[in-house]
């Protein structure tokens, strides 16, 4: 696809066809401007197989809003829709409907409340609530899901990987395995989740980060094939980048060739007044090789040079390497904490694709329609109680205990104010036997989670910088109990409904299952 | 990211930073225009956990070439690179290097030979071979890997899903779970692999396919919340699309409400002279519900209406549904084959993300450099013999047996011509104990797999249409032995080296491991 086609394919037509067919039905029925409310939420944390997330990191909002700001039904889009025919040659869309759409922004009349990027989020808590004309609320669904699902998925994976590295630099290297042009969004989400930067040059440029990377095996191989040696290649690299010199040492033989050659180059750099940055290893038993590399570098007088590890890194591999270093360092006379603190990680495929669970199951569900200025809850009864919606217009709260740790996210009805209650009666979203009462003395803070992003179609939110979003993420993860942050088998964070919301849901389920509705 | 930023981020800077740092080293050493050869290949078929692919379907070439055609070092890109500094504030790139790049196409001087899209491909067989100036061959690496890895991954998954559906229509519905703007590439690859279309409107527009989709639960819920009923909603839909009417029947109760209401609407349509298209079911026990739905539709006089199934579909789920229909139809007086032939599948998340294995492990490796007009093989010895490259300049062949089925892909040296041999001596790529000799009588056809796409930087290839690519895919899968096509535990398709290539590889490994090289 050429870039001109991209703008056409990824503007307002970046959507599923049924959004448009439904839009026409709404228009024909005259309910298209009736006010609707849709909730965006996910149902389960990513589960990577042998380990699973206990929290997610919210991301993608600004990227989605960039799309919204450019998503108009321009003449070219209307022309395309006008020419669509059904199998019998009948036009799919009527002139009246297309006339209505023409020139309209997809955000017309919409109010969007959402959890800011970087915040920790949990299942069933509406991460975004869209309110406004049914037709436009429906028309933004696909793009909203696309942008928020993916970046939240990757920010979550990145946060896990970063946490497993115990605060050391983690770099996003995945563009070659990214799913097409998800590379930008993936890099952005990785930075939100904890990556210090990305190898993706274009994404770095747009995001204002320094791109990361040094050289590949191919540089060594090319120079060797031209009659040179690994050492020649390292020297050539060091001449070009004397103050940013990281050498990849595993092209031929890490311990017998790569590291000794790197040390020779580092000595030369040092003599010239430069500080060598480090080595990178991309194959082999990385825990073992890290210890050996540290011994060799220390002995040569480079106790501070970084050791960058890459090759199918993820939170589990990093955890295993660190565990092994902790167990074995002493035997080699090395200080484990010191060694761990000189590591850095280049993380590719498994981050950018969220390997193990490559999709967040976020959904966008109609929960209420307005009639005569009152909200009528819309509910879909599912055979699976977990899937039955939490109805109606809601507020979202987070409660903190006396140790300033988050203990529950709470969904209430619109009129409720949890800040001024003596005690809060909480219900599990689906299991009526699970209830508890929190009294004021147990709660240090009650926080509203949503910010207003769009108001009646206008952007009313000032987007934070990526650095601010990163700080939000770090703070929020800090405010989780350690059990929730665990790499495997994390504690279940509580998501609860207030009495009033629980009662409304019960009442609606009763009405529907007894046939008085629907 | 706004669309203007997209063009900047996803042009020639859609790359890993180290491609640029290496490029500068090559330039500084004066070897940047030395001729290099890189092979693109993958090492293993996607493995989805309990099942795995026995073949891949090649895709992404035209999309990659669209990128190439627009990837120039324009002033804006050069300005960006000029301003990049290392940690000490020293410019990363020299004026000489940037002057060399300015205005250049990333394809300058490159020749690209590649397997056409839609063809079945196998591990270790170079799917693309790039030859030309070292600097540009290196600079296209990231984008080539990105585009070909992802579309091949998705075309492969789509082919599996389509095959499991026994020829019935399969539609790509995954945009909401796609990884950001991979939606277009994913939809394109899905169509190559066998999807009849996609719900992605923008992608449909650019690719020239009719977009697919009808309505969601939200349409029913909205109308019910406004005081209507499921039947009202169905009727409203049918009025707008009398000749394209597929109704989603599982919003409240599939068997007691959805299907009876759909039948009422279908009767009305029929009376008006329209032909109802079908129903869609998106939850519950779909094998059981399919049989029940067929019974109800048949009884009502709609034995031909389609039954579209969605909800976490993949090749295994479809196989399970079809198996159950085969086992149980007779008991209900239904003809299983007839029922299977009225099914269609809406496939979302698990296709667009290739769930189970979300990345193809394709790599782009330097295999030879030219010196004095002769190719010098470049080889990287790995501790893992599977990872040791097949060296030098190669040709790629496919052999067919007397039943016209493909039996082996063969890598030979450039000078070899497999069309005119009495017998072909084949070696397993890494296991020297595995050899075999095929004589002429066993072989019905010897086919060269590569087409020339770029010649000295110029496009010399006429891209086939998507429909032609789909036909290529169908023909190639037809030419696989059934064991290779199997859903689980497929036969190993043979990929072999000729005597001469095997001997060259052995010799080089010997030279390197004995220290006479590198």
């Amino acid at each position: 696809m050429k870039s001109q086609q991209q703008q056409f394919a990824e503007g307002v037509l970046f959507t599923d066809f049924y959004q448009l067919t439904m839009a026409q039905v709404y228009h024909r029925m005259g309910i298209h401007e009736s006010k609707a409310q849709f909730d965006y939420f996910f149902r389960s944390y990513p589960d990577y197989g042998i380990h699973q997330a206990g929290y997610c990191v919210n991301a993608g909002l600004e990227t989605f809003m960039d799309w919204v700001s450019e998503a108009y039904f321009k003449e070219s889009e209307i022309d395309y829709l006008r020419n669509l025919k059904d199998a019998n040659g009948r036009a799919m869309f009527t002139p009246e409907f297309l006339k209505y759409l023409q020139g309209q922004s997809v955000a017309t009349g919409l109010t969007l409340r959402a959890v800011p990027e970087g915040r920790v989020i949990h299942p069933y808590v509406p991460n975004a609530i869209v309110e406004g004309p049914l037709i436009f609320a429906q028309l933004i669904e696909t793009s909203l899901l696309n942008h928020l699902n993916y970046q939240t998925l990757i920010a979550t994976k990145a946060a896990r990987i970063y946490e497993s590295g115990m605060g050391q630099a983690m770099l996003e290297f995945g563009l070659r395995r990214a799913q097409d042009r998800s590379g930008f969004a993936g890099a952005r989400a990785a930075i939100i989740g904890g990556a210090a930067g990305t190898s993706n040059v274009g994404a770095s440029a747009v995001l204002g980060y320094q791109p990361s990377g040094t050289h590949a095996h191919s540089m060594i191989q090319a120079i060797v094939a031209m009659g040179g040696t690994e050492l020649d290649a390292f020297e050539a690299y060091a001449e070009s980048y004397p103050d940013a010199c990281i050498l990849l040492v595993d092209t031929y033989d890490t311990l017998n060739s790569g590291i000794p050659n790197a040390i020779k180059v580092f000595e030369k750099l040092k003599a010239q007044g430069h500080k060598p940055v480090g080595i990178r290893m991309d194959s082999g038993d990385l825990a073992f090789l890290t210890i050996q590399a540290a011994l060799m570098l220390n002995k040569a007088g480079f106790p501070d040079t970084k050791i960058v590890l890459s090759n199918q890194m993820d939170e589990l591999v990093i955890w295993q390497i660190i565990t092994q270093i902790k167990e074995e360092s002493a035997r080699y006379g090395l200080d484990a904490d010191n060694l761990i603190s000189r590591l850095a990680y280049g993380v590719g495929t498994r981050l950018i694709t969220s390997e193990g669970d490559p999709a967040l199951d976020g959904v966008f569900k109609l929960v209420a329609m307005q009639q005569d200025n009152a909200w009528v809850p819309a509910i879909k009864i599912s055979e699976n109680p977990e899937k039955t919606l939490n109805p109606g217009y809601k507020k979202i709260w987070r409660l903190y205990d006396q140790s300033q740790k988050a203990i529950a996210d709470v969904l209430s009805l619109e009129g409720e104010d949890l800040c001024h209650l003596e005690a809060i009666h909480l219900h599990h979203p689906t299991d009526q036997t699970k209830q508890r009462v929190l009294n004021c003395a147990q709660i240090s803070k009650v926080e509203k989670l949503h910010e207003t992003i769009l108001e009646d179609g206008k952007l009313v939110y000032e987007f934070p910088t990526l650095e601010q979003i990163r700080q939000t993420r770090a703070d929020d993860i800090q405010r989780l109990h350690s059990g929730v942050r665990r790499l495997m088998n994390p504690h279940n964070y509580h998501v609860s409904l207030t009495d009033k919301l629980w009662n409304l849901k019960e009442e609606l389920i009763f009405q529907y299952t007894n046939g008085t509705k629907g």
Side-chain angles (χ1 to χ4, degrees), chain A:
Chain A
M1 184 166 56
K2 304 266 168 94
S3 54
Q4 207 184 344
Q5 295 174 305
Q6 274 176 34
Q7 289 186 39
F8 183 68
E10 294 167 355
V12 76
L13 299 184
F14 187 73
T15 190
D16 290 303
F17 190 54
Y18 74 9
Q19 312 291 7
L20 289 158
T21 53
M22 286 191 282
Q24 174 164 269
V25 172
Y26 300 149
H27 182 261
R28 186 188 177 100
M29 295 181 77
I31 60 170
H32 54 298
E33 292 186 353
S34 295
K35 267 195 167 177
Q37 186 212 321
F38 285 81
D39 284 1
Y40 166 63
F41 59 94
F42 63 94
R43 293 198 178 106
S44 52
Y45 302 112
D47 182 340
Y48 311 98
I50 40 174
H51 52 107
Q52 60 286 120
Y55 61 90
C56 282
V57 173
N58 189 35
L61 185 61
E62 187 176 350
T63 312
F64 168 60
M65 292 308 300
D66 282 343
W67 175 84
V68 167
S69 73
E70 299 187 329
Y72 283 82
F73 286 93
K74 297 185 290 290
E75 197 134 334
S76 52
E77 282 90 350
I78 296 292
D79 279 348
Y80 170 71
L81 296 176
R82 185 177 296 120
N83 290 316
L84 283 177
K85 309 264 191 287
D86 68 19
N88 282 6
R90 178 190 154 115
M92 290 294 291
F93 299 107
T94 65
E96 301 73 43
F97 173 63
L98 295 174
K99 192 175 161 208
Y100 176 80
L101 283 186
Q102 177 132 19
Q104 299 259 41
S105 156
V106 80
T108 305
L110 296 183
T111 293
L112 169 65
R113 264 158 288 209
V115 178
E117 293 191 273
R119 295 225 60 174
V120 157
I121 51 172
H122 300 282
Y124 292 97
V125 179
N127 177 5
I129 293 181
V130 175
E131 179 198 317
L134 175 59
I135 188 168
F136 295 109
Q138 186 83 67
L139 283 169
I140 66 164
E141 174 179 15
T142 302
S143 180
L144 183 148
L145 286 170
N146 173 283
H147 287 97
L148 301 187
N149 278 339
Y150 176 59
Q151 286 200 36
T152 299
L153 180 78
I154 301 305
T156 301
K157 187 76 171 175
R160 291 172 62 76
I161 297 173
Y162 175 69
E163 293 278 306
S164 74
M166 302 181 71
Q168 299 315 304
M170 183 266 280
L171 300 160
E172 191 285 304
F173 281 1
L175 184 56
R176 66 192 52 207
R177 301 281 170 78
Q179 306 207 330
D180 194 75
R181 286 173 297 112
S182 68
F184 169 81
R188 180 178 186 275
I191 288 172
I192 289 175
T198 171
S199 65
N200 180 333
V201 183
S204 297
V206 169
L207 297 171
Y209 279 69
Q210 176 80 8
S212 305
T214 55
H215 70 87
H217 300 118
S218 57
M219 188 188 81
I220 317 267
Q221 290 174 268
I223 291 168
V224 168
M226 299 297 286
T229 63
E230 186 182 53
L231 183 60
D232 294 336
F234 285 176
E235 282 181 345
Y237 190 83
E239 277 166 28
S240 281
Y241 312 104
D243 295 311
C245 185
I246 295 180
L247 299 170
L248 177 62
V249 295
D250 69 333
T251 303
Y252 300 115
D253 184 329
T254 303
L255 298 179
N256 295 307
S257 162
I259 296 177
N261 283 333
I263 286 172
K264 284 181 201 154
V265 174
F266 288 173
E267 282 165 347
K268 218 164 166 180
L269 282 174
K270 198 172 167 182
Q272 293 163 356
H274 299 289
K275 192 173 157 54
V277 177
I279 61 167
R280 177 163 75 95
M281 301 191 289
D282 188 50
S283 59
D285 178 340
L286 291 175
F288 169 78
L289 289 171
T290 296
I291 288 173
Q292 301 305 315
L295 290 170
M296 293 167 81
L297 289 165
N298 290 355
K299 195 174 159 204
F302 299 101
D304 302 325
T305 49
K306 286 277 170 199
I307 300 172
V308 184
L309 305 180
S310 53
N311 188 26
Q312 298 297 325
M313 289 285 135
D314 66 12
E315 61 269 54
L316 215 55
V317 172
I318 292 174
W319 173 82
Q320 176 269 319
I321 289 170
I322 286 181
T323 304
Q324 197 174 332
I325 288 172
K326 283 180 180 167
E327 284 170 0
E328 297 188 5
S329 288
R331 190 146 62 83
Y332 292 95
L334 290 171
D335 178 68
D337 291 342
N338 179 271
L339 178 48
I340 290 165
S341 75
R342 72 195 282 191
L343 296 180
Y345 306 93
V347 185
T349 311
R350 295 187 182 180
L351 169 54
I352 202 82
T353 65
S354 184
E355 209 183 53
D357 198 349
L360 187 74
D361 69 348
V363 292
F364 185 78
K365 294 290 181 188
L366 178 73
V367 289
M369 292 291 300
Q370 211 175 61
Q371 262 196 313
D372 308 326
N373 287 317
W375 286 105
V376 182
I379 193 165
K380 174 183 176 305
I381 309 296
S382 175
E383 284 162 42
N384 178 352
E386 305 269 307
K387 280 196 161 187
T388 299
L389 295 175
N390 295 310
Y393 206 74
K394 294 175 291 292
K395 276 190 191 157
I396 313 302
W397 312 82
R398 181 161 293 167
L399 311 184
Y400 295 87
D401 66 13
Q402 292 299 347
S403 69
Q404 319 302 322
K405 300 289 186 193
I407 45 167
D409 284 9
V410 182
L411 283 60
S412 77
L413 289 181
E414 190 188 10
E416 296 186 84
D417 185 351
L418 268 59
C419 294
H420 302 98
L421 292 177
E422 286 292 296
I424 306 177
H425 189 167
L426 299 177
H427 293 258
H428 183 277
T430 53
D431 181 347
Q432 72 158 344
T433 65
K434 289 186 180 160
Q435 306 184 19
R436 63 173 176 160
V437 177
L438 287 171
N439 61 48
C440 278
Q442 294 170 281
I443 300 170
S444 67
K445 192 170 123 188
V446 176
E447 186 187 26
K448 278 197 233 176
L449 283 184
H450 280 174
E451 300 278 349
T452 302
I453 314 298
L454 275 178
E455 185 115 52
D456 192 17
K458 274 166 217 67
L459 185 70
V460 296
Y461 181 68
E462 196 173 323
F463 292 106
T465 65
L466 270 192
E467 281 304 307
Q468 288 168 334
I469 295 172
R470 284 162 60 82
Q471 191 60 49
T472 298
R473 180 258 312 152
D475 293 346
D476 253 18
I477 291 178
Q478 206 49 251
R479 283 191 292 253
L480 290 171
H481 278 288
S482 58
V484 175
R485 293 169 63 174
R486 225 184 256 159
L487 183 64
M488 289 185 201
N489 304 318
H491 276 188
N492 256 341
Y493 183 85
H494 283 206
V495 172
S496 306
L497 311 186
T498 60
D499 263 347
K500 287 185 182 167
L501 181 57
W502 170 264
N503 292 338
L504 173 65
K505 187 174 177 179
E506 286 296 286
E507 192 187 308
L508 284 166
I509 292 175
F510 181 82
Q511 283 176 16
Y512 279 94
T513 50
N514 289 279
T516 56
K517 273 266 193 184

